[in-house]
Amino acid sequence: MSTPRRTHTGSRRNEQARAAILSAATELLAEHGTAGVTIDRLAAHAGVGRQTIYRWWPSKDAVLLDALVHSAEHAVTIPDTGTLHADLDHFLRATFEAAGIERNRRALITAAIAAQDDPSLSEALDNFLTQRRTALTNLIERARTRGEIPPTAPIDLAVEQAFGVLWYRLLFHPSALHADTATALATALTTQLRATP
């Protein structure tokens, strides 16, 4: 009689460990700030070994950035209300609110600074920003498909303006990084896109 084959659970355990590390990074970031998060503290909080963390991330900052990406994917959904202004308002409000949380703001700034001298972190940050820009680009392109804005509407410029305002406030004027700013920005961008000659 043959022995039943055991179900392979390695990938599931790996995913559980990775999720535990990202969760630990988010919790420690909220509790201690970026300076208070270390690889040792992350490992202890997640219940894994240091080598498990280094299997997926080259540095602490890379873990924190990945935790922010994971959080953003859940906090900022892609709306489809049927109108450009409502979609922009929903997306930008959620984005500004998520970035305005102090632990997220500090982690984003830390990652942006560290990425200047860390190629792997720079690539991870660029992938994150590209993902966010693509999401907003697709949202606006839907409005063009509906005929809500002209075919010549400068979508790339509007996307750069949206994230330009976000990062300016993030870096230099964090007290203005709130939902009302996002709504005003959504209104301005909608007007600009619709008025394209």
Side-chain angles (χ1 to χ4, degrees), residues 61 110-123:
D61 291 329
T110 298
I113 294 171
Q116 305 308 306
D117 300 312
D118 185 335
S120 63
L121 186 58
S122 177
E123 182 180 1

Side-chain angles (χ1 to χ4, degrees), residues 78-91:
I78 311 303
D80 190 3
T81 65
T83 68
L84 175 61
H85 182 265
D87 283 352
L88 280 174
D89 186 49
H90 179 98
F91 181 91

Side-chain angles (χ1 to χ4, degrees), residues 35-103:
V37 181
T38 65
I39 292 295
D40 286 334
R41 183 171 275 173
L42 270 173
H45 201 77
V48 301
R50 287 168 53 91
Q51 70 277 10
T52 300
I53 295 176
Y54 284 120
R55 183 184 306 157
W56 291 306
W57 298 279
S59 65
K60 176 196 79 173
D61 291 329
V63 182
L64 296 181
L65 178 58
D66 208 8
L68 285 174
V69 172
H70 186 73
S71 176
E73 289 173 348
H74 291 83
V76 185
T77 58
I78 311 303
D80 190 3
T81 65
T83 68
L84 175 61
H85 182 265
D87 283 352
L88 280 174
D89 186 49
H90 179 98
F91 181 91
L92 293 176
R93 285 176 72 92
T95 299
F96 272 57
E97 287 171 353
I101 297 172
E102 184 59 19
R103 67 173 184 270

Side-chain angles (χ1 to χ4, degrees), residues 1 13 18 22 48 64 70-71 81 94 96 101 110 114 125 128 136 138-139 153 156-157 159 162 178 192:
M1 182 175 180
R13 283 199 303 270
R18 188 173 184 278
L22 292 176
V48 301
L64 296 181
H70 186 73
S71 176
T81 65
F96 272 57
I101 297 172
T110 298
L125 181 61
F128 169 60
L136 183 54
N138 291 342
L139 182 154
D156 289 345
L157 179 61
V159 171
H178 48 66
Q192 172 183 310

Side-chain angles (χ1 to χ4, degrees), residues 129-150:
L129 297 177
T130 298
Q131 178 193 64
R132 295 290 88 199
R133 289 195 302 267
T134 299
L136 183 54
T137 298
N138 291 342
L139 182 154
I140 299 174
E141 284 181 343
R142 279 206 315 257
R144 184 166 61 185
T145 300
R146 291 193 300 263
E148 195 175 348
I149 60 176

